[in-house]
Amino acid sequence: MTAAKLLEEAAKAQARARKLAPDARLVRVAANLDDPRSHWIFVFRSDKQKKLLTVWQKRIGVERLEKGASETLWSTRLAKLDGLEGAYKRLKAEKHWFVPVRVEIVPRWKGDPDFLFIDARGRVARVAGPSPVGVPQPPPPEKEKAPDPPKD
């Protein structure tokens, strides 16, 4: 899934969460990898109502919020992700033996979010969000040439 599609799904989930809590902010995104029918799960936090809202495709779960601060998963940083496929390739390059059954996208205080891959035994492998190398960058804009002076 690309970052653009993930942002689109997050915006839909946020609209649904904000019907219950107007101050809901995204704190985590997850998906189960072992089920081919799985969809993204979005977790929002409402500090005013002291609730944790979990938005699935067809329902919303509401839990009491535990004390403690939680980082926000900003959409601008979420847009910088290079997609689940790229993170999975980097995971396999580092730990070829690791077989994840769940992935979570979690924010960092300073920097882009990370992918947390979790296997069936509960072991966690953290993969940095944007790919440090290999991310295509747009070419720098070319400067226009000054017109040649007239020839006399």
Side-chain angles (χ1 to χ4, degrees):
M1 174 176 272
T2 63
K5 180 69 174 165
L6 185 61
L7 277 174
E8 180 183 324
E9 294 293 323
K12 290 177 188 176
Q14 187 170 24
R16 291 177 58 203
R18 289 204 169 163
K19 288 181 182 177
L20 298 175
D23 67 324
R25 59 187 171 93
L26 184 63
V27 293
R28 189 171 64 235
V29 178
N32 295 321
L33 300 175
D34 58 347
D35 185 5
R37 299 170 294 141
S38 69
H39 297 278
W40 287 102
I41 302 164
F42 299 93
V43 180
F44 295 89
R45 176 186 174 111
S46 171
D47 291 324
K48 288 182 182 176
Q49 295 184 4
K50 296 185 173 111
K51 292 182 181 177
L52 197 64
L53 307 164
T54 305
V55 179
W56 289 277
Q57 186 179 13
K58 295 186 179 181
R59 67 183 176 102
I60 298 176
V62 180
E63 298 175 16
R64 180 182 225 164
L65 184 64
E66 299 293 327
K67 288 191 176 188
S70 181
E71 300 166 9
T72 301
L73 190 55
W74 299 105
S75 60
T76 53
R77 290 184 178 172
L78 196 59
K80 292 181 183 179
L81 293 179
D82 61 343
L84 181 60
E85 293 82 12
Y88 186 77
K89 286 179 185 177
R90 290 195 313 274
L91 169 73
K92 286 300 186 176
E94 294 173 14
K95 300 179 180 183
H96 63 87
W97 52 268
F98 197 84
V99 181
V101 295
R102 182 177 174 90
V103 63
E104 294 186 6
I105 301 174
V106 295
R108 286 190 297 167
W109 182 254
K110 292 184 179 180
D112 297 321
D114 289 340
F115 289 91
L116 291 183
F117 289 95
I118 305 166
D119 71 355
R121 294 183 182 175
R123 297 177 292 192
V124 176
R126 183 178 288 261
V127 176
S131 176
V133 290
V135 174
Q137 298 292 329
E142 294 182 23
K143 294 182 180 177
E144 293 183 22
K145 288 184 178 180
D148 292 334
K151 294 187 179 185
D152 292 318

